[in-house]
Each structure stands twice: as C-alpha cells, then as structure tokens.
C-alpha cells in the first residue's frame, strides 16, 4: 500500500491542477467537515470526492453515458470517459459510479463470471480460514482468467485514482463507496444494487475491492493475459475430468439396473 507521504504528494499535485475550482470539491483527500455533507445515509462515511455528487450531477452523468452509448456502444462504459481538468469533482464522481451501473449485467466485462469466486475469496480473508497469500492469489486468478484488456485498464485507472487519497482511512472509504457499484451479483436484466444477496456479500466485496485496488499493478503486469489463458485451460481440463469421473460412477449403476430388470423379466 502506498505510504501517506506519497499520497500527500499526489494530493498536492491534484490541488495544483484544479486550483481554479473549490478545493473542497476537488480534493479527494479532503477530510474537513462541511455542513452540506452532514446528513449522509446510514453507514456511509464522509469522503469529499464522492460526497460532491448530487442528484443533478448524477442525472447529467447518466445522460452523457447514454449519449455515448447510442453513438458507439463502449464496453465497459468507464473506458469511454476522458474528463478534462475542468470537470467538477461532483460530475466526475457521478460519471465514475454511473458508468459502473449503466450496463445492467456487470460493471466491467468479465466480472459477473468471477463474482462468486471473488466473494468466496473475500469471505476466506475475513474468516481467516485461508492464508491471505492464497486468497489474494485466488482473486488474481479469477480476474486474469475472466477480464478483458479494457476491463483490466479500468481497474488500473481506478487504482491510480484511489492512490491520490493521502491516508489509509480515506483509501478504505474509497473502496467502501466503489465496491457496491463495481462488484454486483450477476444478473441478465437489472443492476442488482443492494439486493438481499448483495447486502449479505458486501463485507467480502469491500475486502476484495481493497485487494484489487492495492494490487492492480501486480495483477495486470506484463503477461497477465497469457497467465489467464493458462488458468482457463487448466480449469477447463479439471471440469472435463470431473464430468468424465461422474459418468464413470453413473455407468455401473445403470448397468446393474438393467441387469435387475432382465432378471425380473426372466423370472416372470
């Protein structure tokens, strides 16, 4: 994890780049209390970058994404965003979250297919039933064998954005806000945000989001696609072997059944 000193340097650079705007609305690491954010929903802790979003900026962001999608459907939508230094923090955070939920099936292509594996690894980290190194390796394997290059690029971008936060507390809060939108249970027609299953999985999802943000550069280092291809082939081989074993176990039962029928026919 990046040290607070490194985070503070990056935060200062962001402030310099956006000095023409209100510092409170543009500094992802600002923890100063603001009366405008005193009434946050239950369980949601303050982080300036996301709290700058309003109903108006969310509506504007959704319209922007729908227009982009109608012109040339980008997938994932997050890969189509190229905000300028003049984009307000409220609109930027709204674009970020809306881009992860505008496609009902999944936030990034491939995440729905590895959702169960990711949550399982997160639960293992929470319970301590699996060594952390093994759980993190499982998360890496699930991602590299499921995601497309654009999806991996989006995760790298989110990881770099999160690193701007100057403290570990704010980096954790970033994951708390991001995880519900990034990791959703698979669905074919609706974005199941805060479904019963989603709520039950949320602690594990936040932990997995932290692992991804902390290790994205390592997970998607050079050669990750080839590693993912080998993982898929190995899993396919295991599945084929398991099905073959299952058929071998069923065959003797069916033979004995036929023999039993024959003996009854003969006796009759």
């Amino acid at each position: 994890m990046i040290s607070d000193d490194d985070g503070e340097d990056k935060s200062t650079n962001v402030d310099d780049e956006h000095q023409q705007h209100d510092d409170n609305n543009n500094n992802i690491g600002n923890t100063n209390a603001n009366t405008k954010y005193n009434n946050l929903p239950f369980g949601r802790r303050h982080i300036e970058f996301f709290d700058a979003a309003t109903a108006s900026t969310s509506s504007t962001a959704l319209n922007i994404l729908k227009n982009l999608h109608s012109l040339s459907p980008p997938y994932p939508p997050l890969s189509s965003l190229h905000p300028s230094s003049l984009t307000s923090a409220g609109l930027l955070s709204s674009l970020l979250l809306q881009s992860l939920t505008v496609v009902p099936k999944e936030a990034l292509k491939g995440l729905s297919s590895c959702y169960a594996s990711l949550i399982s690894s997160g639960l293992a980290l929470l319970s301590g039933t699996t060594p952390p190194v093994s759980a993190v390796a499982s998360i890496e394997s699930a991602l590299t064998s499921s995601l497309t290059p654009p999806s991996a690029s989006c995760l790298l971008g989110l990881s770099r954005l999160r690193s701007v936060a100057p403290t570990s507390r704010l980096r954790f809060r970033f994951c708390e806000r991001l995880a519900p939108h990034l990791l959703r249970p698979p669905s074919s027609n609706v974005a199941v945000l805060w479904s019963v299953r989603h709520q039950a999985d949320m602690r594990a999802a936040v932990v997995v989001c932290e692992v991804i943000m902390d290790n994205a550069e390592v997970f998607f280092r050079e050669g990750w696609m080839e590693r993912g291809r080998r993982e898929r082939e190995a899993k396919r081989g295991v599945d084929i072997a398991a099905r073959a074993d299952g058929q071998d176990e069923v065959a003797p039962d069916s033979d004995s059944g036929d023999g039993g029928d024959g003996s009854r026919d003969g006796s009759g």
Side-chain angles (χ1 to χ4, degrees):
M1 184 174 284
I2 295 177
S3 67
D4 288 352
D5 289 339
D6 291 340
E8 288 171 356
D9 291 338
K10 293 184 179 182
S11 180
T12 302
N13 292 337
V14 170
D15 289 341
D16 291 340
E17 182 180 355
H18 300 291
Q19 61 184 346
Q20 67 272 35
H21 297 294
D22 180 1
D23 288 340
N24 287 337
N25 286 339
N26 286 277
N27 182 4
I28 192 172
N30 191 347
T31 58
N32 292 332
N34 190 310
T35 55
K36 153 180 202 186
Y37 305 126
N38 284 341
N39 298 317
L40 293 173
F42 176 77
R44 181 175 292 180
R45 289 179 285 188
H46 174 70
I47 178 169
E48 190 76 24
F49 176 70
F50 288 113
D51 292 343
T54 64
S56 176
T57 60
S58 295
S59 177
T60 300
L62 188 58
N63 288 333
I64 291 172
L65 289 166
K66 285 181 176 179
N67 289 335
L68 286 173
H69 192 75
S70 64
L71 293 174
S72 176
Y75 199 76
L78 184 59
S79 64
S80 67
L81 300 181
H82 303 285
S84 71
S85 60
L86 298 179
T87 305
S88 69
L91 182 56
L92 182 58
S93 61
S94 295
L95 283 168
L96 170 58
L97 296 182
Q98 291 290 345
S99 68
L100 294 175
T101 53
V102 70
V103 176
K105 182 181 178 182
E106 54 191 357
L108 301 174
K109 190 171 182 62
L111 275 182
S112 63
S113 63
C114 62
Y115 176 84
S117 177
L118 293 175
I119 295 301
S120 177
S121 297
L123 290 172
L125 284 169
L126 287 171
S127 65
T129 55
T130 302
V133 173
S134 298
V136 171
S138 296
I139 293 173
E140 178 182 6
S141 175
L143 293 173
T144 56
S145 61
S146 303
L147 298 190
T148 61
S151 296
S153 296
C154 288
L155 289 181
L156 286 167
L158 290 171
S159 175
R160 290 161 187 159
L161 175 63
R162 182 229 191 195
S163 70
V164 173
T167 66
S168 59
R169 179 180 63 182
L170 289 174
R171 289 192 286 272
F172 174 74
R173 291 184 183 182
F174 183 93
C175 291
E176 277 190 315
R177 295 293 188 94
L178 185 67
H181 302 268
L182 182 66
L183 299 172
R184 308 193 309 264
S187 175
S188 58
N189 55 1
V190 291
V192 279
L193 197 63
W194 297 121
S195 65
V196 173
R197 179 185 177 187
H198 200 204
Q199 293 178 59
D201 292 344
M202 192 43 54
R203 284 188 66 215
V206 172
V207 169
V208 170
C209 187
E210 275 197 290
V211 171
I212 295 173
M213 296 296 102
D214 284 342
N215 298 280
E217 298 284 351
V218 176
F219 289 172
F220 302 110
R221 62 190 182 277
E222 186 176 356
W224 73 267
M225 293 182 64
E226 176 60 22
R227 297 197 313 276
R229 183 187 63 78
R230 291 197 298 267
E231 291 281 354
R232 289 192 298 272
E233 290 178 351
K235 185 177 184 302
R236 192 177 301 118
V238 170
D239 291 342
I240 292 173
R243 285 196 296 269
D245 290 342
Q247 290 173 357
D248 290 342
E249 292 175 0
V250 171
D253 295 337
S254 61
D255 290 343
S256 62
D258 291 341
D261 292 341
S263 63
R264 285 194 297 273
D265 290 341
S267 62

